[in-house]
Amino acid sequence: MAWCFNPMPMEEFVPACARMGLVGVEGIDAKYYPLMKEHGLKVSLCSGHGFKQGPLNPEYHEHCRTELRKAIDRAVKWDCQNVITFTGMREKEISDQQSQKNCVELWKSVIDYAEAKNVTLVLEHLNSRDDSHPMKGHPGYFGDDVDLCIDLIKQVDSPNMKLLFDFYHVQVMNGDVIRRFQQGLPYIGHLHTAGNPGRCELDENQEMNYAAIIKAVAESDYDGYVVQEYIPTWDDKLGSLRHGVALCDV
């Protein structure tokens, strides 16, 4: 996940990822896609409308629809399977029930386009508990319950609408991550990792047993990407990434 390693130049980061044996990168400006291709790296995920102005509010529907269609076209161009989507932030004047309806309505309005292009929309569940850093948690985010997100996906009722299951966010909000992964597997289209607390490396300074988690993933029918999305704390940032890669190579 390239954004986690800012301000490292992408001209340094991308070749380093390739040397480690990684197969894809995301969270990176599309202007670097040719550089990634040069080094044999896939675009593992394309960005859409962002997590703040989401389909929870119908005022953002046109924006979300336009950006998702653009992202789907970009995904096709670069042979990328997944485009990310979000619910958006809670709004006092919009009830939870109406928020769900608004989200499903928007996704249903673009899912036919995604199906025709053979691209999957992946809805990311985010934690709303951690307020220590703007990218460690998202207070006010509507889709902060992983079970709710799966229910919304079921309502869209398309094989091209899946869940982005982020072990870090699920641990913060729900816990029981291995069993939740196994139970939600039919609806999961993408995986993110990070340590908790702090969205740190997958090392001994956090509470999650990633050796067991990755073993469960490897033993399952999941065949998508496992993406390192932690914020480095080690002085050697690329060394920390090599550590995460080795841990996940099972």
PDB file of all heavy atoms in Angstrom, residues 213-235:
ATOM      1  N   ILE A 213      -3.476 -16.048  11.329  1.00  0.00           N
ATOM      2  CA  ILE A 213      -4.424 -15.419  10.405  1.00  0.00           C
ATOM      3  C   ILE A 213      -4.082 -15.773   8.959  1.00  0.00           C
ATOM      4  O   ILE A 213      -4.945 -16.196   8.184  1.00  0.00           O
ATOM      5  CB  ILE A 213      -4.424 -13.890  10.604  1.00  0.00           C
ATOM      6  CG1 ILE A 213      -5.071 -13.528  11.945  1.00  0.00           C
ATOM      7  CG2 ILE A 213      -5.144 -13.188   9.450  1.00  0.00           C
ATOM      8  CD1 ILE A 213      -4.899 -12.063  12.345  1.00  0.00           C
ATOM      9  N   ILE A 214      -2.818 -15.617   8.591  1.00  0.00           N
ATOM     10  CA  ILE A 214      -2.417 -15.892   7.203  1.00  0.00           C
ATOM     11  C   ILE A 214      -2.515 -17.384   6.896  1.00  0.00           C
ATOM     12  O   ILE A 214      -2.852 -17.769   5.768  1.00  0.00           O
ATOM     13  CB  ILE A 214      -0.998 -15.352   6.948  1.00  0.00           C
ATOM     14  CG1 ILE A 214      -0.977 -13.823   7.092  1.00  0.00           C
ATOM     15  CG2 ILE A 214      -0.521 -15.748   5.560  1.00  0.00           C
ATOM     16  CD1 ILE A 214      -1.930 -13.085   6.165  1.00  0.00           C
ATOM     17  N   LYS A 215      -2.267 -18.219   7.884  1.00  0.00           N
ATOM     18  CA  LYS A 215      -2.445 -19.663   7.689  1.00  0.00           C
ATOM     19  C   LYS A 215      -3.900 -19.961   7.358  1.00  0.00           C
ATOM     20  O   LYS A 215      -4.199 -20.758   6.457  1.00  0.00           O
ATOM     21  CB  LYS A 215      -2.015 -20.419   8.940  1.00  0.00           C
ATOM     22  CG  LYS A 215      -2.124 -21.942   8.839  1.00  0.00           C
ATOM     23  CD  LYS A 215      -1.515 -22.590  10.087  1.00  0.00           C
ATOM     24  CE  LYS A 215      -1.571 -24.119   9.992  1.00  0.00           C
ATOM     25  NZ  LYS A 215      -2.941 -24.627  10.192  1.00  0.00           N
ATOM     26  N   ALA A 216      -4.828 -19.308   8.075  1.00  0.00           N
ATOM     27  CA  ALA A 216      -6.254 -19.506   7.807  1.00  0.00           C
ATOM     28  C   ALA A 216      -6.622 -19.030   6.407  1.00  0.00           C
ATOM     29  O   ALA A 216      -7.432 -19.659   5.714  1.00  0.00           O
ATOM     30  CB  ALA A 216      -7.093 -18.777   8.860  1.00  0.00           C
ATOM     31  N   VAL A 217      -6.034 -17.910   5.979  1.00  0.00           N
ATOM     32  CA  VAL A 217      -6.291 -17.412   4.625  1.00  0.00           C
ATOM     33  C   VAL A 217      -5.775 -18.414   3.590  1.00  0.00           C
ATOM     34  O   VAL A 217      -6.469 -18.748   2.620  1.00  0.00           O
ATOM     35  CB  VAL A 217      -5.632 -16.033   4.412  1.00  0.00           C
ATOM     36  CG1 VAL A 217      -5.764 -15.602   2.954  1.00  0.00           C
ATOM     37  CG2 VAL A 217      -6.265 -14.986   5.329  1.00  0.00           C
ATOM     38  N   ALA A 218      -4.549 -18.894   3.800  1.00  0.00           N
ATOM     39  CA  ALA A 218      -3.936 -19.818   2.844  1.00  0.00           C
ATOM     40  C   ALA A 218      -4.717 -21.132   2.746  1.00  0.00           C
ATOM     41  O   ALA A 218      -4.752 -21.756   1.680  1.00  0.00           O
ATOM     42  CB  ALA A 218      -2.494 -20.095   3.244  1.00  0.00           C
ATOM     43  N   GLU A 219      -5.333 -21.548   3.831  1.00  0.00           N
ATOM     44  CA  GLU A 219      -6.082 -22.805   3.843  1.00  0.00           C
ATOM     45  C   GLU A 219      -7.504 -22.650   3.333  1.00  0.00           C
ATOM     46  O   GLU A 219      -8.211 -23.641   3.170  1.00  0.00           O
ATOM     47  CB  GLU A 219      -6.099 -23.377   5.272  1.00  0.00           C
ATOM     48  CG  GLU A 219      -4.725 -23.864   5.742  1.00  0.00           C
ATOM     49  CD  GLU A 219      -4.726 -24.324   7.189  1.00  0.00           C
ATOM     50  OE1 GLU A 219      -5.727 -24.047   7.895  1.00  0.00           O
ATOM     51  OE2 GLU A 219      -3.727 -24.938   7.607  1.00  0.00           O
ATOM     52  N   SER A 220      -7.920 -21.419   3.057  1.00  0.00           N
ATOM     53  CA  SER A 220      -9.275 -21.158   2.589  1.00  0.00           C
ATOM     54  C   SER A 220      -9.318 -21.167   1.060  1.00  0.00           C
ATOM     55  O   SER A 220      -8.305 -21.384   0.394  1.00  0.00           O
ATOM     56  CB  SER A 220      -9.753 -19.793   3.089  1.00  0.00           C
ATOM     57  OG  SER A 220      -9.131 -18.737   2.358  1.00  0.00           O
ATOM     58  N   ASP A 221     -10.502 -20.889   0.518  1.00  0.00           N
ATOM     59  CA  ASP A 221     -10.664 -20.803  -0.937  1.00  0.00           C
ATOM     60  C   ASP A 221     -10.387 -19.398  -1.469  1.00  0.00           C
ATOM     61  O   ASP A 221     -10.556 -19.154  -2.668  1.00  0.00           O
ATOM     62  CB  ASP A 221     -12.090 -21.218  -1.329  1.00  0.00           C
ATOM     63  CG  ASP A 221     -12.351 -22.690  -1.062  1.00  0.00           C
ATOM     64  OD1 ASP A 221     -11.384 -23.475  -1.108  1.00  0.00           O
ATOM     65  OD2 ASP A 221     -13.518 -23.052  -0.808  1.00  0.00           O
ATOM     66  N   TYR A 222      -9.985 -18.473  -0.594  1.00  0.00           N
ATOM     67  CA  TYR A 222      -9.717 -17.102  -1.033  1.00  0.00           C
ATOM     68  C   TYR A 222      -8.556 -17.095  -2.020  1.00  0.00           C
ATOM     69  O   TYR A 222      -7.503 -17.706  -1.775  1.00  0.00           O
ATOM     70  CB  TYR A 222      -9.380 -16.223   0.172  1.00  0.00           C
ATOM     71  CG  TYR A 222      -9.038 -14.799  -0.203  1.00  0.00           C
ATOM     72  CD1 TYR A 222     -10.044 -13.908  -0.570  1.00  0.00           C
ATOM     73  CD2 TYR A 222      -7.727 -14.348  -0.210  1.00  0.00           C
ATOM     74  CE1 TYR A 222      -9.742 -12.596  -0.927  1.00  0.00           C
ATOM     75  CE2 TYR A 222      -7.414 -13.043  -0.559  1.00  0.00           C
ATOM     76  CZ  TYR A 222      -8.426 -12.175  -0.926  1.00  0.00           C
ATOM     77  OH  TYR A 222      -8.126 -10.879  -1.287  1.00  0.00           O
ATOM     78  N   ASP A 223      -8.720 -16.397  -3.148  1.00  0.00           N
ATOM     79  CA  ASP A 223      -7.679 -16.374  -4.172  1.00  0.00           C
ATOM     80  C   ASP A 223      -7.319 -14.961  -4.615  1.00  0.00           C
ATOM     81  O   ASP A 223      -6.745 -14.759  -5.693  1.00  0.00           O
ATOM     82  CB  ASP A 223      -8.094 -17.214  -5.375  1.00  0.00           C
ATOM     83  CG  ASP A 223      -9.346 -16.672  -6.067  1.00  0.00           C
ATOM     84  OD1 ASP A 223      -9.936 -15.686  -5.559  1.00  0.00           O
ATOM     85  OD2 ASP A 223      -9.738 -17.232  -7.115  1.00  0.00           O
ATOM     86  N   GLY A 224      -7.630 -13.965  -3.790  1.00  0.00           N
ATOM     87  CA  GLY A 224      -7.328 -12.579  -4.131  1.00  0.00           C
ATOM     88  C   GLY A 224      -6.046 -12.091  -3.486  1.00  0.00           C
ATOM     89  O   GLY A 224      -5.197 -12.877  -3.052  1.00  0.00           O
ATOM     90  N   TYR A 225      -5.898 -10.773  -3.413  1.00  0.00           N
ATOM     91  CA  TYR A 225      -4.701 -10.155  -2.860  1.00  0.00           C
ATOM     92  C   TYR A 225      -4.760 -10.086  -1.339  1.00  0.00           C
ATOM     93  O   TYR A 225      -5.832  -9.958  -0.742  1.00  0.00           O
ATOM     94  CB  TYR A 225      -4.545  -8.728  -3.388  1.00  0.00           C
ATOM     95  CG  TYR A 225      -4.158  -8.647  -4.847  1.00  0.00           C
ATOM     96  CD1 TYR A 225      -5.126  -8.492  -5.838  1.00  0.00           C
ATOM     97  CD2 TYR A 225      -2.822  -8.712  -5.243  1.00  0.00           C
ATOM     98  CE1 TYR A 225      -4.775  -8.405  -7.178  1.00  0.00           C
ATOM     99  CE2 TYR A 225      -2.462  -8.625  -6.583  1.00  0.00           C
ATOM    100  CZ  TYR A 225      -3.448  -8.468  -7.543  1.00  0.00           C
ATOM    101  OH  TYR A 225      -3.102  -8.380  -8.871  1.00  0.00           O
ATOM    102  N   VAL A 226      -3.575 -10.163  -0.710  1.00  0.00           N
ATOM    103  CA  VAL A 226      -3.395  -9.827   0.705  1.00  0.00           C
ATOM    104  C   VAL A 226      -2.459  -8.618   0.731  1.00  0.00           C
ATOM    105  O   VAL A 226      -1.298  -8.721   0.344  1.00  0.00           O
ATOM    106  CB  VAL A 226      -2.779 -11.002   1.497  1.00  0.00           C
ATOM    107  CG1 VAL A 226      -2.538 -10.596   2.951  1.00  0.00           C
ATOM    108  CG2 VAL A 226      -3.687 -12.229   1.426  1.00  0.00           C
ATOM    109  N   VAL A 227      -2.978  -7.492   1.169  1.00  0.00           N
ATOM    110  CA  VAL A 227      -2.285  -6.208   1.005  1.00  0.00           C
ATOM    111  C   VAL A 227      -1.763  -5.689   2.344  1.00  0.00           C
ATOM    112  O   VAL A 227      -2.510  -5.620   3.320  1.00  0.00           O
ATOM    113  CB  VAL A 227      -3.239  -5.167   0.373  1.00  0.00           C
ATOM    114  CG1 VAL A 227      -2.519  -3.836   0.168  1.00  0.00           C
ATOM    115  CG2 VAL A 227      -3.787  -5.689  -0.954  1.00  0.00           C
ATOM    116  N   GLN A 228      -0.479  -5.315   2.370  1.00  0.00           N
ATOM    117  CA  GLN A 228       0.127  -4.728   3.565  1.00  0.00           C
ATOM    118  C   GLN A 228      -0.281  -3.252   3.650  1.00  0.00           C
ATOM    119  O   GLN A 228       0.188  -2.434   2.869  1.00  0.00           O
ATOM    120  CB  GLN A 228       1.651  -4.827   3.474  1.00  0.00           C
ATOM    121  CG  GLN A 228       2.189  -6.211   3.201  1.00  0.00           C
ATOM    122  CD  GLN A 228       2.286  -7.068   4.439  1.00  0.00           C
ATOM    123  OE1 GLN A 228       2.373  -6.558   5.558  1.00  0.00           O
ATOM    124  NE2 GLN A 228       2.273  -8.364   4.269  1.00  0.00           N
ATOM    125  N   GLU A 229      -1.169  -2.938   4.618  1.00  0.00           N
ATOM    126  CA  GLU A 229      -1.605  -1.535   4.759  1.00  0.00           C
ATOM    127  C   GLU A 229      -1.372  -1.038   6.180  1.00  0.00           C
ATOM    128  O   GLU A 229      -2.274  -0.560   6.852  1.00  0.00           O
ATOM    129  CB  GLU A 229      -3.080  -1.351   4.371  1.00  0.00           C
ATOM    130  CG  GLU A 229      -3.401   0.121   4.146  1.00  0.00           C
ATOM    131  CD  GLU A 229      -4.876   0.391   3.910  1.00  0.00           C
ATOM    132  OE1 GLU A 229      -5.708  -0.466   4.248  1.00  0.00           O
ATOM    133  OE2 GLU A 229      -5.192   1.468   3.389  1.00  0.00           O
ATOM    134  N   TYR A 230      -0.141  -1.161   6.620  1.00  0.00           N
ATOM    135  CA  TYR A 230       0.226  -0.636   7.939  1.00  0.00           C
ATOM    136  C   TYR A 230       1.044   0.648   7.753  1.00  0.00           C
ATOM    137  O   TYR A 230       1.622   0.886   6.694  1.00  0.00           O
ATOM    138  CB  TYR A 230       1.032  -1.677   8.717  1.00  0.00           C
ATOM    139  CG  TYR A 230       2.362  -1.996   8.092  1.00  0.00           C
ATOM    140  CD1 TYR A 230       3.493  -1.230   8.393  1.00  0.00           C
ATOM    141  CD2 TYR A 230       2.496  -3.039   7.186  1.00  0.00           C
ATOM    142  CE1 TYR A 230       4.709  -1.489   7.795  1.00  0.00           C
ATOM    143  CE2 TYR A 230       3.716  -3.307   6.586  1.00  0.00           C
ATOM    144  CZ  TYR A 230       4.822  -2.532   6.899  1.00  0.00           C
ATOM    145  OH  TYR A 230       6.027  -2.788   6.297  1.00  0.00           O
ATOM    146  N   ILE A 231       1.094   1.463   8.796  1.00  0.00           N
ATOM    147  CA  ILE A 231       1.905   2.684   8.781  1.00  0.00           C
ATOM    148  C   ILE A 231       3.232   2.356   9.456  1.00  0.00           C
ATOM    149  O   ILE A 231       3.257   2.057  10.654  1.00  0.00           O
ATOM    150  CB  ILE A 231       1.181   3.832   9.501  1.00  0.00           C
ATOM    151  CG1 ILE A 231      -0.147   4.147   8.793  1.00  0.00           C
ATOM    152  CG2 ILE A 231       2.061   5.079   9.559  1.00  0.00           C
ATOM    153  CD1 ILE A 231      -1.011   5.158   9.507  1.00  0.00           C
ATOM    154  N   PRO A 232       4.341   2.357   8.727  1.00  0.00           N
ATOM    155  CA  PRO A 232       5.616   1.890   9.280  1.00  0.00           C
ATOM    156  C   PRO A 232       6.061   2.677  10.507  1.00  0.00           C
ATOM    157  O   PRO A 232       5.944   3.902  10.558  1.00  0.00           O
ATOM    158  CB  PRO A 232       6.599   2.086   8.115  1.00  0.00           C
ATOM    159  CG  PRO A 232       5.758   2.116   6.892  1.00  0.00           C
ATOM    160  CD  PRO A 232       4.475   2.747   7.304  1.00  0.00           C
ATOM    161  N   THR A 233       6.581   1.948  11.491  1.00  0.00           N
ATOM    162  CA  THR A 233       7.169   2.566  12.682  1.00  0.00           C
ATOM    163  C   THR A 233       8.665   2.272  12.759  1.00  0.00           C
ATOM    164  O   THR A 233       9.370   2.944  13.502  1.00  0.00           O
ATOM    165  CB  THR A 233       6.495   2.052  13.962  1.00  0.00           C
ATOM    166  OG1 THR A 233       6.711   0.638  14.089  1.00  0.00           O
ATOM    167  CG2 THR A 233       5.004   2.334  13.952  1.00  0.00           C
ATOM    168  N   TRP A 234       9.136   1.265  12.021  1.00  0.00           N
ATOM    169  CA  TRP A 234      10.557   0.934  12.029  1.00  0.00           C
ATOM    170  C   TRP A 234      11.343   2.033  11.315  1.00  0.00           C
ATOM    171  O   TRP A 234      10.844   2.670  10.379  1.00  0.00           O
ATOM    172  CB  TRP A 234      10.814  -0.377  11.304  1.00  0.00           C
ATOM    173  CG  TRP A 234      10.210  -1.598  11.911  1.00  0.00           C
ATOM    174  CD1 TRP A 234       9.263  -1.659  12.893  1.00  0.00           C
ATOM    175  CD2 TRP A 234      10.515  -2.953  11.556  1.00  0.00           C
ATOM    176  NE1 TRP A 234       8.950  -2.972  13.157  1.00  0.00           N
ATOM    177  CE2 TRP A 234       9.704  -3.787  12.363  1.00  0.00           C
ATOM    178  CE3 TRP A 234      11.382  -3.532  10.633  1.00  0.00           C
ATOM    179  CZ2 TRP A 234       9.744  -5.173  12.261  1.00  0.00           C
ATOM    180  CZ3 TRP A 234      11.427  -4.913  10.536  1.00  0.00           C
ATOM    181  CH2 TRP A 234      10.623  -5.725  11.352  1.00  0.00           C
ATOM    182  N   ASP A 235      12.584   2.234  11.729  1.00  0.00           N
ATOM    183  CA  ASP A 235      13.451   3.174  11.027  1.00  0.00           C
ATOM    184  C   ASP A 235      13.675   2.716   9.589  1.00  0.00           C
ATOM    185  O   ASP A 235      13.699   3.530   8.663  1.00  0.00           O
ATOM    186  CB  ASP A 235      14.798   3.313  11.751  1.00  0.00           C
ATOM    187  CG  ASP A 235      14.671   4.026  13.089  1.00  0.00           C
ATOM    188  OD1 ASP A 235      13.679   4.770  13.263  1.00  0.00           O
ATOM    189  OD2 ASP A 235      15.537   3.818  13.952  1.00  0.00           O
TER     190      ASP A 235
END
